[in-house]
Amino acid sequence: MNVTVATLKLGNHYSVGDYGLKMRYCDVGGTKGTVWTSVDASCEVYDSKAEKVGYDMNAVGTYKINGKLNNGYIVLTSYLQLTSL
């Protein structure tokens, strides 16, 4: 039996220019629990610039799940790498 206990989303909002990549902010919009769970979510940008080819920028989403089927934390990490400038 498959049961969806939550939908977790981590959005990255960034700009692209001759300076490379710049992450403006992250968000967890669209994250939701189900009838069996509730989800508390937050995110933080840890590295906001990728100024040279090969550099990356990162955001981390932290999700606390409370429910009848499971409890605990899940962490999603995004890595966006500059491949050409």
Side-chain angles (χ1 to χ4, degrees), residues 2 17 26-27 31 34 39 55 78:
N2 294 327
C26 62
D27 75 71
T31 294
T34 64
V39 179
Y55 284 26
S78 66

Side-chain angles (χ1 to χ4, degrees), residues 2 10 13 21 27 32 35 42 46-47 52 59-60 70 74:
N2 294 327
L10 176 59
H13 301 270
L21 301 173
D27 75 71
K32 61 184 177 181
V35 59
S42 64
Y46 280 97
D47 181 9
K52 295 181 181 181
V60 175
N70 57 350
I74 295 173

Side-chain angles (χ1 to χ4, degrees), residues 7-85:
T7 300
L8 309 178
K9 296 192 177 185
L10 176 59
N12 298 282
H13 301 270
Y14 59 93
S15 300
V16 179
D18 58 2
Y19 50 81
L21 301 173
K22 180 179 179 183
M23 190 172 310
R24 298 185 321 269
Y25 64 96
C26 62
D27 75 71
V28 291
T31 294
K32 61 184 177 181
T34 64
V35 59
W36 296 288
T37 61
S38 65
V39 179
D40 293 319
S42 64
C43 68
E44 186 173 344
V45 175
Y46 280 97
D47 181 9
S48 64
K49 295 179 183 176
E51 299 165 318
K52 295 181 181 181
V53 172
Y55 284 26
D56 64 15
M57 54 189 185
N58 317 95
V60 175
T62 303
Y63 308 84
K64 181 180 179 186
I65 298 176
N66 296 302
K68 295 178 182 179
L69 300 175
N70 57 350
N71 293 298
Y73 288 90
I74 295 173
V75 175
L76 299 178
T77 304
S78 66
Y79 298 93
L80 299 169
Q81 185 178 43
L82 182 63
T83 57
S84 66
L85 187 57

